């Protein structure tokens, strides 16, 4: 068996997964892209195991560990995504922020003129709460 065929296929799968991780905004699609990258690694491990004719089949053993890690990763990742979706109402990766941030930090830039006087009066109290939350 030629090593070039599975290696090229694995490279294409990995590049597709990398593009999905970098370009997608939906957290579920990002998790699917990570799984695609792990499958490309599995394909390389098995291909090199067959090519080297390893007596211990180390590549296949590492592939089994990678599959187990991928199953745990997708289970924990989906639990986190569902918890975030329930709390925030979106799974958009770009809109997620640190949970310790206050609601005042999430206001739009055009909202300052509406609440400007009220925000100036309560600004020191808001800074103190943010300092407590980060400490």
């Amino acid at each position: 068996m030629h090593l070039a065929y599975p290696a090229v296929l694995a490279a294409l799968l990995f590049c597709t997964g990398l593009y999905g991780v970098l370009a997608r905004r939906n957290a579920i699609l990002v998790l699917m892209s990570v799984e695609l990258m792990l499958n490309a690694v599995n394909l390389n491990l098995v291909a090199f195991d067959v090519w080297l004719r390893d007596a211990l089949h180390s590549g296949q053993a590492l592939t089994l560990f990678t599959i187990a890690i991928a199953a745990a990763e997708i289970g924990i990742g989906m639990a986190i995504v569902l918890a975030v979706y329930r709390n925030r109402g979106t799974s958009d990766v770009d809109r997620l922020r640190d949970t310790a941030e206050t609601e005042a930090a999430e206001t739009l830039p055009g909202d300052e003129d509406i609440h400007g006087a009220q925000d100036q009066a309560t600004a020191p109290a808001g800074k103190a709460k943010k300092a407590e939350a980060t400490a």
Side-chain angles (χ1 to χ4, degrees):
M1 178 172 103
H2 295 287
L3 185 61
Y5 299 130
V8 168
L9 179 62
L12 289 174
L13 283 174
F14 193 86
C15 289
T16 304
L18 185 65
Y19 172 76
V21 167
L22 295 176
R24 299 292 177 197
R25 293 195 169 115
N26 190 350
I28 295 173
L29 292 177
V30 170
L31 286 174
M32 288 174 57
S33 298
V34 169
E35 291 294 322
L36 194 61
M37 291 167 58
L38 287 172
N39 285 332
V41 170
N42 288 339
L43 181 61
N44 266 335
L45 285 171
V46 171
F48 275 98
D49 182 48
V50 170
W51 185 64
L52 293 173
R53 294 188 177 115
D54 187 16
L56 297 175
H57 299 292
S58 302
Q60 293 178 19
L62 286 174
T63 299
L64 289 175
F65 284 117
T66 307
I67 290 171
I69 289 171
E73 176 256 334
I74 199 68
I76 293 171
M78 284 300 295
I80 291 170
V81 168
L82 288 174
V84 167
Y85 182 77
R86 284 182 184 167
N87 288 335
R88 305 274 175 108
T90 184
S91 64
D92 188 7
V93 176
D94 291 338
R95 296 189 64 202
L96 297 179
R97 294 178 180 235
D98 191 11
T99 56
E101 290 184 6
T102 61
E103 291 181 16
E106 294 179 2
T107 59
L108 297 174
D111 291 340
E112 286 118 6
D113 56 346
I114 298 172
H115 303 290
Q118 183 181 8
D119 288 343
Q120 290 175 358
T122 60
K127 288 181 183 177
K129 286 181 184 178
K130 190 171 184 179
E132 290 176 10
T134 58

